[in-house]
Amino acid sequence: MSPAERRHHFETRAIHDGQPPDPATGAVIVPIYQTSTYAQEAPGRHRGYEYSRTGNPTRTALEVALASLEEGRFGLAFASGMAAIAAMMYLVSPGEHVIAPDDVYGGTYRLLVRVLERYGIQSSFVDMTRPDIVGAAMRPQTRMILIESPTNPYLKVLDIAALAEIARSRGAIVAVDNTFASPYAQRPLRLEADIVMHSTTKYLGGHSDVIGGALVVNREDLYQTLKFHQNAAGGTPGPFDCWLVLRGIKTLAVRMRQHAANAEAIARFLAAHPRVAQVFYPGLPDHPGHALAARQMSSFGGMVSFIVRGGQEAAARVASSTTLFFLAESLGGVESLVDHPATMTHASLAGSPLQVDAGLLRLSVGLEHPDDLIADLDQALARA
Ligand SMILES: *Cc1c(COP(=O)(O)O)cnc(C)c1O
């Protein structure tokens, strides 16, 4: 990123970086370059594009914008968050070891345990709120520490700078899944992470209409290797999907401010509700990670989890009774969603030590009026 671009604020960069008017027509929105290949003037002589798995101008615009938002030098876009994680995991070789949080995203857990273990890559899942536990879990073969903060679904806050320091001292790579915070609320590269990963399906896309993923790095060597993996394995997004994520990015800042304001109002309401046993929101002063979140993040985000008194059946009744909160997986869209992790997003953890509380509900708080959302939760909780 050039110093001129760095001068601009986040909101401005989200709208302008990587997205100048189209040089051919002046179109103010980056066109959807719906093409698989590019005519060459002579064999090997082309204008930077040969084949759209390798590169596509709509994708380039998105990759530059993503890098800018994360304050990184290089961005890479993928067909899904999992494709981004898979491309990143090719950095780990057989015989090497990965450390991840004990409430890591279920899809990441599945990839590490059910796929990568067969290739001789071992993973440890530990309580990353305790850097000393992570230090103790480090092995000579540890190649990567994979961090998520806030975590899913308990919204634990992990000290990215402290964990990056541990990894660095032992020569391991630090990757941060920044999906829950979004680059608006948290910039892990500033905290010395090596790789930032996103499911752009969530807040970056923001409208529940696209699946996508991203990696952002500062180190040129890492970029070249990851870009090679992106092209070699081929988990690349189509131009229309890139365009949808670009459109979402333009409003990320205003959306995140409202997501967080609504989430805070809902967290306070739930904390005072007699049918609620426990609320998890980093913005609440009694959340164990509150002080760290206030230091490490510029917003507490739009995700709230809570435990309904009465266990699985009560939680299922609440989740089935909301009308504005749709019962659905995913998060980060304009519409509010409620998820029952034990049977939905985290069902693959059933029977494992990482299994989640059956009474837990996770909210992705949308952009509806907060009073309407609170009234919806209130009537649903009455059926708990
Ligand atoms: C959704 C999600 C992913 C996976 O992304 P997809 O776009 O669904 O492939 C990874 N990490 C987190 C934290 C997520 O929420």
Side-chain angles (χ1 to χ4, degrees), residues 3-332:
E5 286 171 316
R6 249 304 139 63
R7 252 195 355 247
H8 292 134
H9 293 90
F10 184 90
E11 290 80 351
T12 310
R13 299 202 309 270
I15 291 168
H16 291 282
D17 283 8
Q19 306 160 75
D22 179 47
T25 63
V28 299
I29 293 301
V30 173
I32 301 166
Y33 284 89
Q34 193 73 45
T35 186
S36 62
T37 190
Y38 306 80
Q40 308 197 3
E41 283 146 37
R45 200 158 93 218
H46 54 76
R47 287 175 261 184
Y49 296 97
E50 301 159 74
Y51 185 61
S52 279
R53 167 158 42 71
T54 314
N56 173 284
T58 315
R59 192 171 101 211
T60 302
L62 174 60
E63 292 179 333
V64 172
L66 288 165
S68 170
L69 294 187
E70 283 291 356
E71 299 183 32
R73 289 173 64 208
F74 308 105
L76 292 165
F78 291 87
S80 68
M82 290 318 303
I85 293 178
M88 182 169 91
M89 286 304 164
Y90 291 132
L91 295 170
V92 185
S93 297
E96 292 185 329
H97 174 241
V98 175
I99 303 180
D102 57 8
D103 57 354
V104 67
Y105 175 71
T108 308
Y109 177 81
R110 185 172 54 197
L111 180 72
L112 289 170
V113 171
R114 308 253 318 260
V115 180
L116 295 175
E117 259 184 23
R118 288 197 293 112
Y119 289 80
I121 294 167
Q122 291 200 343
S123 299
S124 302
F125 301 92
V126 304
D127 179 1
M128 286 203 178
T129 58
R130 300 258 316 269
D132 58 312
I133 293 181
V134 177
M138 293 289 290
R139 303 177 190 169
Q141 301 82 3
T142 304
R143 170 77 167 135
M144 182 184 288
I145 296 188
L146 176 57
I147 303 172
E148 269 175 43
S149 186
T151 67
N152 173 25
Y154 285 108
L155 303 168
K156 289 193 242 168
V157 183
L158 308 184
D159 191 335
I160 296 172
L163 294 167
E165 174 62 35
I166 291 172
R168 183 145 315 216
S169 70
R170 313 280 194 95
I173 294 171
V174 181
V176 178
D177 181 339
N178 203 27
T179 300
F180 267 45
S182 90
Y184 175 78
Q186 179 168 275
R187 319 266 161 80
L189 295 177
R190 266 200 201 168
L191 303 166
E192 303 294 329
D194 298 298
I195 305 176
V196 180
M197 174 267 156
H198 280 283
S199 166
T200 57
T201 310
K202 317 294 167 54
Y203 287 111
L204 284 159
H207 296 76
S208 304
D209 53 12
V210 63
I211 298 283
L215 299 176
V216 180
V217 298
N218 269 326
R219 276 169 49 188
E220 169 110 43
D221 61 325
L222 270 181
Y223 170 65
Q224 293 302 345
T225 306
L226 292 167
K227 188 175 166 58
F228 177 77
H229 295 168
Q230 179 195 42
N231 184 51
T236 51
F240 183 50
D241 287 354
C242 293
W243 186 90
L244 284 169
V245 177
L246 271 173
R247 184 167 77 162
I249 280 177
K250 290 173 192 287
T251 55
L252 181 64
V254 283
R255 284 189 286 109
M256 288 312 297
R257 286 195 276 270
Q258 195 61 45
H259 280 300
N262 287 1
E264 183 171 343
I266 285 171
R268 288 184 194 286
F269 160 78
L270 291 171
H273 200 286
R275 301 238 157 117
V276 173
Q278 202 177 349
V279 180
F280 306 89
Y281 183 64
L284 291 179
D286 64 353
H287 184 283
H290 178 67
L292 174 58
R295 238 183 10 252
Q296 175 167 283
M297 306 173 73
S298 57
S299 158
F300 297 113
M303 300 299 295
V304 179
S305 294
F306 63 105
I307 294 177
V308 181
R309 287 190 202 283
Q312 164 131 5
E313 279 170 24
R317 278 195 297 275
V318 174
S320 312
S321 306
T322 53
T323 59
L324 294 177
F325 284 85
F326 299 144
L327 179 58
E329 305 200 355
S330 199
L331 61 119

Side-chain angles (χ1 to χ4, degrees), residues 337-351:
L337 301 178
V338 57
D339 163 45
H340 182 240
T343 55
M344 293 168 60
T345 49
H346 291 62
S348 62
L349 303 182

